[in-house]
Amino acid sequence: MLGDKLSAGVRRAVVDSVYSRVFVPTRETLETGRGNNSWVHRTDNWNSVCLNGVTGAALSLIEDVHERAYYVAAAEYYSRNSILGFTDDGYCTEGLGYFNYGFSNYIVLREELYQSTGGRIDLFDDDKIGKIALYGVNFEIQNGVYPAFADCKIGTGVMPYILWYCNRNLGLGLERYAAEPAWETDVEPVLSATAMRCFPNTASCAVAGSAGRKVDRLRQYFDCAGVLISRHRNPEGTVSVALKGGNNGENHNHNDLGSFVVVKGGEMLIGDAGGPYNYAGDMWTDKRYTFKTLSSYGHPVPCVDGVCQLPGAEARARVARADFTEERDVFMLDLTSAYPVDGLRGLTRSFTYDRSGGGVLIVEDSIDCEWPRAYESALITFGRWSMKGRDCIEIEGKNERVRVRVTVPGDCGFSVTSEQLQENGPEMTRIAIRPDRKIDRGVVRLVIE
């Protein structure tokens, strides 16, 4: 891009350095399987990010057309792994932040290959791409608030440029994304993406399709991922929710089976606090789940006899029921496999979202043990909380508030305590709800409205 602004000697030194640091190591991995470039086989955002970087460098710096074609062919083939990382319903298990990062790089890679081959290679030539693109629309709870599941910073929203680009290229018919959005000021600029936007590309040159795609405003059920978004008809001042199943072996996993998010109006008052704002080194080791905010302890999920959820794909939320109507959605998850507790015969979490009035979420945990066990439910919030009477917790945000009515088996009573958690991110409050006696069978119920 700098052309003759750099001397021939400097240019040669740069190209030689890119060969030794990028091209040669990448070819070694592709041809022998050795080296540190495991990203070619990964099914997460790093696949798209690295393929975009390597391929863009090859197309920009390599003079021989056959050598350039080598990297283009590798990108065409190995980019399939990135798409495999999304469930078949288009859900991104890594969280919305990594969707923005990974899929925006996939878009730039797609544009590079499309322009370099005159459209003969098109990474959008896959029916799954449309579902992935619509994740950015379907994952919204209401009023621009999205769940911060997995390693995702709280408050993250979808990058409008992704949806505009996909809308234009795939003919999605999204009226909201018909016009090219303004430049994002809160996203770290990436040179290749910036260059793509500065010059004509397949989106800017595409003929605008007709708008009018109808998005189901009441709910979005990602049945492959086990995630449900249930919305109120009127988003102003009402409660809408996000409910999470899945497994504990997902990309950028948190141990969060049964997690949920409660949004009232435009505020998240209860929910999943998301991932760190920056990573500690041990978060990438076998010590990852010693961090409370990554383990189930830092999520609004049960704790049985002091035991948190297991990591790994074997810990799975089996969908036991998914019944949806205009008036209410019922979503039941069997969480038994996630808790290595002797004598635990069953633990299910049932969500009932009722759209009447301002919206109500009922969370019912049904436990069945061979002998009594200590039980604890939890709420996560960035707001303020207080007790309103013997059985009601009030959580207050900046403009909205909700109340949580608690019922425990046999009306034995319960205690409520709180703990501040902060690990490489904003401080959150964990509210623990503990029945006064151990439970062998019974239901702990939270009614949130």
Side-chain angles (χ1 to χ4, degrees), residues 373-420:
R373 291 290 196 178
Y375 187 82
E376 178 178 294
S377 189
L379 303 171
I380 303 295
T381 185
F382 293 105
R384 303 175 298 278
W385 75 278
S386 59
M387 294 298 300
K388 299 296 181 182
R390 184 180 64 87
D391 64 349
C392 183
I393 303 168
E394 183 174 86
I395 296 176
E396 185 177 4
K398 292 180 180 179
N399 302 302
E400 305 285 358
R401 68 183 67 189
V402 293
R403 288 192 170 185
V404 184
R405 296 197 178 276
V406 182
T407 305
V408 297
D411 293 324
C412 66
F414 60 90
S415 63
V416 179
T417 60
S418 67
E419 175 184 356
Q420 301 305 114

Side-chain angles (χ1 to χ4, degrees), residues 140-161:
E140 181 182 2
I141 302 174
Q142 66 183 20
N143 295 319
V145 181
Y146 292 78
F149 294 150
D151 277 355
C152 178
K153 295 178 182 178
I154 198 76
T156 298
V158 68
M159 287 176 61
Y161 188 81

Side-chain angles (χ1 to χ4, degrees), residues 203-216:
S204 63
C205 295
V207 177
S210 59
R213 171 183 285 270
K214 292 183 179 180
V215 177
D216 187 347

Side-chain angles (χ1 to χ4, degrees), residues 196-268:
M196 189 186 92
R197 291 192 65 172
C198 287
F199 295 93
N201 58 61
T202 55
S204 63
C205 295
V207 177
S210 59
R213 171 183 285 270
K214 292 183 179 180
V215 177
D216 187 347
R217 293 310 306 165
L218 289 186
R219 79 184 59 79
Q220 174 63 37
Y221 182 36
F222 297 95
D223 58 333
C224 299
V227 173
L228 175 65
I229 311 295
S230 290
R231 308 181 185 95
H232 201 276
R233 294 178 181 85
N234 174 16
E236 301 307 320
T238 57
V239 168
S240 293
V241 300
L243 316 171
K244 186 180 183 303
N247 69 79
N248 282 341
E250 298 167 341
N251 288 331
H252 282 274
N253 179 72
H254 289 202
N255 292 340
D256 59 357
L257 306 184
S259 187
F260 63 95
V261 177
V262 176
V263 173
K264 187 170 185 182
E267 288 189 74
M268 189 200 87

Side-chain angles (χ1 to χ4, degrees), residues 18 40 43 53 71 77 102 106 113 116 139 154 156 176 184 196 201 216 241 250 264 279 294 297 316 331 368 416:
V18 175
V40 298
T43 59
Y71 291 97
Y77 181 78
Y106 186 89
L113 299 188
S116 298
F139 197 48
I154 198 76
T156 298
R176 180 177 172 186
E184 294 86 0
M196 189 186 92
N201 58 61
D216 187 347
V241 300
E250 298 167 341
K264 187 170 185 182
Y279 290 104
L294 304 184
Y297 186 84
R316 180 176 297 274
F331 190 47
D368 182 5
V416 179

Side-chain angles (χ1 to χ4, degrees), residues 35 49 102 276 297 310 335 354 407 440:
V49 171
Y297 186 84
L310 285 168
L335 307 180
D354 193 322
T407 305
D440 55 354

Side-chain angles (χ1 to χ4, degrees), residues 156-168:
T156 298
V158 68
M159 287 176 61
Y161 188 81
I162 291 177
L163 293 178
W164 175 79
Y165 181 94
C166 293
N167 195 34
R168 297 275 292 189

